Amino acid sequence: MGAAKPQKALARFLAPGAVPGQRVLLDPEESHHLQHVRRLKEGAEILLLDLKGHEFKGRVQRLGRRVWVEVLELVREEAPKAPELVLGLPLLKKDHLSFLVEKAAELGVSRVILYYSRRTVVKPGPNLVPKLGARAAQSLKQCGRLWPLAIDGPKPLSSLAEEETLYKLVAYEKEKSLSLKEALKRIPSKPDKLLFLSGPEGGFSPEEASFLQQKGFLLVHLGDQILRAETAAFYLMSVAHLWFFL
Amino acid sequence: MGAAKPQKALARFLAPGAVPGQRVLLDPEESHHLQHVRRLKEGAEILLLDLKGHEFKGRVQRLGRRVWVEVLELVREEAPKAPELVLGLPLLKKDHLSFLVEKAAELGVSRVILYYSRRTVVKPGPNLVPKLGARAAQSLKQCGRLWPLAIDGPKPLSSLAEEETLYKLVAYEKEKSLSLKEALKRIPSKPDKLLFLSGPEGGFSPEEASFLQQKGFLLVHLGDQILRAETAAFYLMSVAHLWFFL
């Protein structure tokens, strides 16, 4: 008794365009979340992410289908992560993609490009990308990241291979000599940008693997165990985070 | 037309005690899987894992509630992975634990120790460990690993901390100076054994963190983003795999 109650963390909301000293109108989803999930009232303090590297304090001004929030002072700012990590992710079943997008947001990936290749069997639903985008946005709020995770595609493997960057790696289970670790050692410690490509269920065809090699990808192995497609994707993100961000 | 049909990979079954030249009786679960999921017939060729580092070819001899299999030649053998990686995993909700145990099997972890600590709220069901063991066994069959993944606990954090090993690391979000990468560089490249401890939802209390430090754990951070408990656990396994097995 008498001890200070631990201060509860303020809830974060997405507010693109927020500027201190002005007010901002939350979109219907964020407004719903504020009013009906978090049950906040007028006058409550919250945090606002402008998705351009800033976190502001805010105060709820008027509830409604769209909530008005007064934007107060800057709490935190962040430059975009360097290097820019781009993850090429095969179409997998929706639950796996959704999970992986959440992890990509947590682990500092800048952009996910969904792709399909010869052995892809999953058909993307019409709302796949918007749904993944929503999951990524929720993940930002949870992990405190200040820049959005972009989600592109789905596009064919051939067009993903055109992505402009000096450093491209692809995990390929038939590669036996070059490990991911050895390949990482060949890359400067602070490249501008890096493309990591994770393989599809059933793997790449030999033609696809040699096509990627021609396009400048380093083919790397992840050891002698067979990893599931979702394991390999998560593995690449974790290792890239350790290697470039720690 | 005319091209050779690609040979379908033989299905793997668990057969502890299998010895070439003898026959072995599969347990009811494996027998069910063979007959009713894989729909194999008498005479079919399969692969057998003895869970002691050997993969044998086998031939189905007699179907039934328990299937008899003739054990043929050795196909592959493997020494246990070195270093021995032990992962201390907090009690999380069942789906997350099940996922993480599957990944631990794929990524060469030797043993998972489930633990509970001050802020643990999840109550383990009575069949948690057997169920996780079954999931791990299925994962072995899929990824081709030849040694089992042991699952211990749940036990209190204090008793897990007594685990005998020279090298112990714990991911602690309040640690600000030592990163996991720097800590790994302090460890010999081929230690005998390593204990990785992943934090619970809500984190360790400051008392727990200093207790672990007294017990010889290096406290390490995983960057400035807040990772969910399941993300951090997977991250530790992936990074340990890269660092010690690639």
Side-chain angles (χ1 to χ4, degrees), chain A residues 89-105 112-115 124-140 148-154:
Chain A
L89 200 58
L91 285 176
L92 300 171
K93 60 181 192 178
K94 196 163 55 90
D95 288 356
H96 282 149
L97 287 181
S98 182
F99 177 80
L100 290 168
V101 158
E102 178 179 293
K103 299 314 160 203
V112 164
I113 308 177
L114 299 170
Y115 74 88
N127 294 319
L128 177 67
V129 172
K131 278 184 186 163
L132 293 178
R135 178 78 178 253
Q138 293 311 311
S139 186
L140 299 190
L149 168 66
I151 299 175
D152 286 354

Side-chain angles (χ1 to χ4, degrees), chain A residues 99 103 106-107 231 234-235 238-239, chain B residues 85-93 95-109 111-115 169-173 180 195-201 204 220-222 225-242:
Chain A
F99 177 80
K103 299 314 160 203
E106 288 179 65
L107 294 171
T231 312
F234 198 170
Y235 187 104
S238 301
V239 160
Chain B
L85 290 183
V86 181
L87 176 69
L89 201 57
L91 285 176
L92 300 171
K93 61 181 192 178
D95 288 356
H96 283 148
L97 286 181
S98 183
F99 174 83
L100 289 168
V101 157
E102 177 181 293
K103 300 313 158 203
E106 289 179 65
L107 295 172
V109 170
R111 190 151 59 96
V112 164
I113 308 177
L114 299 170
Y115 75 88
L169 294 178
V170 53
Y172 180 49
E173 75 287 4
L180 172 60
L195 174 58
F196 276 89
L197 184 50
S198 183
E201 277 169 342
F204 293 112
V220 302
H221 72 76
L222 307 180
Q225 226 90 257
I226 301 154
L227 302 185
R228 288 171 199 256
E230 73 277 12
T231 311
F234 184 89
Y235 188 104
L236 288 177
M237 293 187 234
S238 302
V239 160
H241 182 280
L242 176 95

